[in-house]
mmCIF file of all heavy atoms in Angstrom:
data_model
loop_
_atom_site.group_PDB
_atom_site.id
_atom_site.type_symbol
_atom_site.label_atom_id
_atom_site.label_comp_id
_atom_site.label_asym_id
_atom_site.label_seq_id
_atom_site.Cartn_x
_atom_site.Cartn_y
_atom_site.Cartn_z
ATOM 1 N N LEU A 50 -19.473 2.490 -8.313
ATOM 2 C CA LEU A 50 -19.720 1.728 -9.523
ATOM 3 C C LEU A 50 -20.850 0.694 -9.349
ATOM 4 O O LEU A 50 -21.779 0.638 -10.153
ATOM 5 C CB LEU A 50 -18.463 0.991 -9.960
ATOM 6 C CG LEU A 50 -17.247 1.852 -10.297
ATOM 7 C CD1 LEU A 50 -16.042 0.962 -10.674
ATOM 8 C CD2 LEU A 50 -17.565 2.845 -11.393
ATOM 9 N N ALA A 51 -20.717 -0.164 -8.360
ATOM 10 C CA ALA A 51 -21.660 -1.267 -8.240
ATOM 11 C C ALA A 51 -21.621 -1.865 -6.835
ATOM 12 O O ALA A 51 -20.629 -1.744 -6.129
ATOM 13 C CB ALA A 51 -21.351 -2.355 -9.268
ATOM 14 N N LEU A 52 -22.750 -2.513 -6.449
ATOM 15 C CA LEU A 52 -22.868 -3.196 -5.162
ATOM 16 C C LEU A 52 -23.663 -4.472 -5.324
ATOM 17 O O LEU A 52 -24.651 -4.503 -6.062
ATOM 18 C CB LEU A 52 -23.583 -2.317 -4.161
ATOM 19 C CG LEU A 52 -22.775 -1.365 -3.274
ATOM 20 C CD1 LEU A 52 -23.709 -0.461 -2.491
ATOM 21 C CD2 LEU A 52 -21.877 -2.146 -2.329
ATOM 22 N N LEU A 53 -23.248 -5.521 -4.564
ATOM 23 C CA LEU A 53 -24.019 -6.767 -4.457
ATOM 24 C C LEU A 53 -24.330 -6.957 -2.998
ATOM 25 O O LEU A 53 -23.433 -6.892 -2.141
ATOM 26 C CB LEU A 53 -23.199 -7.949 -4.959
ATOM 27 C CG LEU A 53 -23.408 -8.441 -6.390
ATOM 28 C CD1 LEU A 53 -22.467 -9.586 -6.663
ATOM 29 C CD2 LEU A 53 -24.876 -8.873 -6.607
ATOM 30 N N TYR A 54 -25.610 -7.226 -2.700
ATOM 31 C CA TYR A 54 -26.006 -7.389 -1.299
ATOM 32 C C TYR A 54 -26.187 -8.855 -0.904
ATOM 33 O O TYR A 54 -26.293 -9.735 -1.757
ATOM 34 C CB TYR A 54 -27.315 -6.630 -1.054
ATOM 35 C CG TYR A 54 -27.112 -5.122 -1.000
ATOM 36 C CD1 TYR A 54 -27.401 -4.353 -2.131
ATOM 37 C CD2 TYR A 54 -26.650 -4.482 0.134
ATOM 38 C CE1 TYR A 54 -27.227 -2.969 -2.098
ATOM 39 C CE2 TYR A 54 -26.475 -3.109 0.174
ATOM 40 C CZ TYR A 54 -26.762 -2.373 -0.947
ATOM 41 O OH TYR A 54 -26.586 -1.002 -0.912
ATOM 42 N N TRP A 55 -26.301 -9.062 0.415
ATOM 43 C CA TRP A 55 -26.451 -10.397 0.973
ATOM 44 C C TRP A 55 -27.670 -11.124 0.413
ATOM 45 O O TRP A 55 -27.676 -12.349 0.359
ATOM 46 C CB TRP A 55 -26.547 -10.306 2.490
ATOM 47 C CG TRP A 55 -27.938 -10.004 3.006
ATOM 48 C CD1 TRP A 55 -28.847 -10.908 3.531
ATOM 49 C CD2 TRP A 55 -28.623 -8.733 2.979
ATOM 50 N NE1 TRP A 55 -30.034 -10.262 3.844
ATOM 51 C CE2 TRP A 55 -29.932 -8.934 3.514
ATOM 52 C CE3 TRP A 55 -28.266 -7.451 2.540
ATOM 53 C CZ2 TRP A 55 -30.862 -7.893 3.662
ATOM 54 C CZ3 TRP A 55 -29.196 -6.424 2.680
ATOM 55 C CH2 TRP A 55 -30.467 -6.658 3.231
ATOM 56 N N ASP A 56 -28.711 -10.349 0.015
ATOM 57 C CA ASP A 56 -29.950 -10.980 -0.458
ATOM 58 C C ASP A 56 -29.985 -11.069 -1.979
ATOM 59 O O ASP A 56 -31.044 -11.217 -2.554
ATOM 60 C CB ASP A 56 -31.137 -10.174 0.043
ATOM 61 C CG ASP A 56 -31.091 -8.691 -0.413
ATOM 62 O OD1 ASP A 56 -30.125 -8.305 -1.089
ATOM 63 O OD2 ASP A 56 -32.049 -7.967 -0.099
ATOM 64 N N ASP A 57 -28.816 -10.917 -2.612
ATOM 65 C CA ASP A 57 -28.654 -10.987 -4.062
ATOM 66 C C ASP A 57 -29.157 -9.739 -4.784
ATOM 67 O O ASP A 57 -29.159 -9.708 -6.030
ATOM 68 C CB ASP A 57 -29.325 -12.218 -4.655
ATOM 69 C CG ASP A 57 -28.645 -13.516 -4.218
ATOM 70 O OD1 ASP A 57 -27.424 -13.464 -3.945
ATOM 71 O OD2 ASP A 57 -29.348 -14.528 -4.080
ATOM 72 N N ASP A 58 -29.593 -8.721 -4.052
ATOM 73 C CA ASP A 58 -29.927 -7.450 -4.690
ATOM 74 C C ASP A 58 -28.648 -6.885 -5.316
ATOM 75 O O ASP A 58 -27.578 -6.957 -4.711
ATOM 76 C CB ASP A 58 -30.512 -6.470 -3.674
ATOM 77 C CG ASP A 58 -31.059 -5.222 -4.328
ATOM 78 O OD1 ASP A 58 -31.287 -5.226 -5.552
ATOM 79 O OD2 ASP A 58 -31.227 -4.206 -3.624
ATOM 80 N N GLU A 59 -28.795 -6.334 -6.515
ATOM 81 C CA GLU A 59 -27.654 -5.818 -7.258
ATOM 82 C C GLU A 59 -27.921 -4.397 -7.701
ATOM 83 O O GLU A 59 -29.012 -4.101 -8.223
ATOM 84 C CB GLU A 59 -27.404 -6.719 -8.460
ATOM 85 C CG GLU A 59 -26.239 -6.308 -9.357
ATOM 86 C CD GLU A 59 -26.123 -7.235 -10.552
ATOM 87 O OE1 GLU A 59 -26.424 -8.419 -10.459
ATOM 88 O OE2 GLU A 59 -25.738 -6.738 -11.652
ATOM 89 N N ARG A 60 -26.965 -3.516 -7.481
ATOM 90 C CA ARG A 60 -27.115 -2.113 -7.898
ATOM 91 C C ARG A 60 -25.885 -1.722 -8.689
ATOM 92 O O ARG A 60 -24.754 -2.052 -8.318
ATOM 93 C CB ARG A 60 -27.244 -1.228 -6.659
ATOM 94 C CG ARG A 60 -28.397 -1.605 -5.759
ATOM 95 C CD ARG A 60 -29.707 -1.151 -6.302
ATOM 96 N NE ARG A 60 -30.825 -1.573 -5.492
ATOM 97 C CZ ARG A 60 -32.046 -1.028 -5.553
ATOM 98 N NH1 ARG A 60 -32.283 -0.052 -6.449
ATOM 99 N NH2 ARG A 60 -32.986 -1.453 -4.754
#
Side-chain angles (χ1 to χ4, degrees):
Chain A
L50 299 179
L52 270 172
L53 263 178
Y54 287 100
W55 84 102
D56 59 357
D57 294 329
D58 188 18
E59 179 182 326
R60 303 283 178 162

